[in-house]
Amino acid sequence: DVEHTLQSLSLEQQEEKGNSSSASSLAPTRVVVGHSWGGRLALEYAVAASKNIDMPPLEALWLLDTVPGQAHESVDQVIAAVSDILWNQEQQQASKLDRNELVKTLTQTHGMDLGVAQWLASSYNSKTGDFGFDLNLVQDLKPEFANQDFVGLLRIILEENKTNVDRTPTKVHLVRGGKNAAWSVQLLSELEALARQFPKTFHIHVLPSAGHWVHVDDLPGLMELFARHS
């Protein structure tokens, strides 16, 4: 079995982009956006880009409610719901749900918020009954959440900005869901200290009405942030 880590997945991402038959015609990656788990992977990619002179530097890295430490409790809810649905369809040879039926199942049977259920359903293929992500891989990577040195990786990017003055600096934007209680006072204090140390390249934004799923809870507010800092 192949052991997956956030860093190994980031390296795979870089290799796939470099080995693509159309790589020479593709515009270089300038902005990377990641939510929650995706933000952790985006952070690893940005660190690699900041240190590798053969990779074009990122102009911006957006981390959407990517909270350091343990995975957000809603991740367990999503994993449990998807596991149950896939099991029912495979083991009980149940007919494939269409997207409307899936949303109904997620909200009524699994107690998921409507917006999150609709977002999850957007990656669902009603013909095959599969979701657009590898559930086993997500489960394997979940322990990695607590092992990632989130603040340390941020600092690497921000320090590289100061060291490599000939390269475009990477601006890091951390968007926090104001209703997500996982952001502890100690953690926020540490991140705010980093923002004071690197005021031109590290920015913390808050969407007060959003929980963990910021792109679901306040998409207009998020798009306004993107537009303001593009």
Side-chain angles (χ1 to χ4, degrees):
D1 293 341
V2 178
E3 182 179 353
H4 291 289
T5 65
L6 289 167
Q7 188 175 34
S8 71
L9 283 183
S10 172
L11 291 173
E12 287 177 22
Q13 230 179 10
Q14 298 162 39
E15 289 172 0
E16 286 179 8
K17 183 175 177 62
N19 294 334
S20 170
S21 59
S22 59
S24 60
S25 63
L26 292 175
T29 301
R30 293 301 189 191
V31 178
V32 173
V33 182
H35 168 256
S36 190
W37 177 88
R40 295 167 185 269
L41 184 57
L43 179 59
E44 297 280 356
Y45 183 92
V47 168
S50 71
K51 297 166 66 176
N52 187 345
I53 60 173
D54 294 325
M55 290 177 65
L58 296 178
E59 292 179 1
L61 169 67
W62 287 83
L63 306 175
L64 310 184
D65 211 63
T66 302
V67 186
Q70 298 289 344
H72 190 268
E73 59 185 14
S74 63
V75 173
D76 288 325
Q77 183 188 30
V78 168
I79 290 175
V82 171
S83 297
D84 183 65
I85 289 166
L86 293 177
W87 185 88
N88 281 326
Q89 292 186 158
E90 181 179 352
Q91 300 298 325
Q92 300 182 4
Q93 296 185 342
S95 59
K96 304 295 187 292
L97 300 172
D98 63 31
R99 286 188 175 179
N100 289 332
E101 292 170 331
L102 176 63
V103 170
K104 184 177 180 180
T105 299
L106 290 172
T107 54
Q108 296 186 3
T109 303
H110 297 280
M112 196 173 290
D113 290 341
L114 176 60
V116 176
Q118 291 172 329
W119 166 80
L120 188 58
S122 69
S123 70
Y124 176 75
N125 187 327
S126 58
K127 293 182 179 179
T128 63
D130 292 323
F131 290 84
F133 55 86
D134 187 333
L135 181 62
N136 291 329
L137 179 60
V138 173
Q139 292 172 315
D140 289 345
L141 282 172
K142 192 166 171 261
E144 277 280 299
F145 283 38
N147 297 331
Q148 186 183 49
D149 183 9
F150 185 87
V151 175
L153 292 176
L154 280 177
R155 185 173 289 280
I156 288 174
I157 297 170
L158 299 172
E159 291 286 2
E160 287 290 338
N161 284 338
K162 295 176 65 176
T163 302
N164 296 323
V165 293
D166 294 332
R167 302 187 84 197
T168 302
T170 300
K171 293 184 178 179
V172 182
H173 297 271
L174 177 62
V175 182
R176 180 168 68 85
K179 291 185 176 180
N180 184 0
W183 292 99
S184 67
V185 173
Q186 179 180 350
L187 176 57
L188 289 175
S189 176
E190 190 173 0
L191 290 170
E192 287 164 0
L194 202 60
R196 289 193 295 271
Q197 185 178 354
F198 301 95
K200 294 183 178 180
T201 52
F202 183 50
H203 309 280
I204 302 174
H205 314 281
V206 182
L207 295 177
S209 64
H212 178 57
W213 303 87
V214 291
H215 53 302
V216 173
D217 297 337
D218 189 6
L219 182 57
L222 181 60
M223 296 306 293
E224 181 180 342
L225 284 177
F226 286 161
R228 193 187 312 160
H229 296 279
S230 62

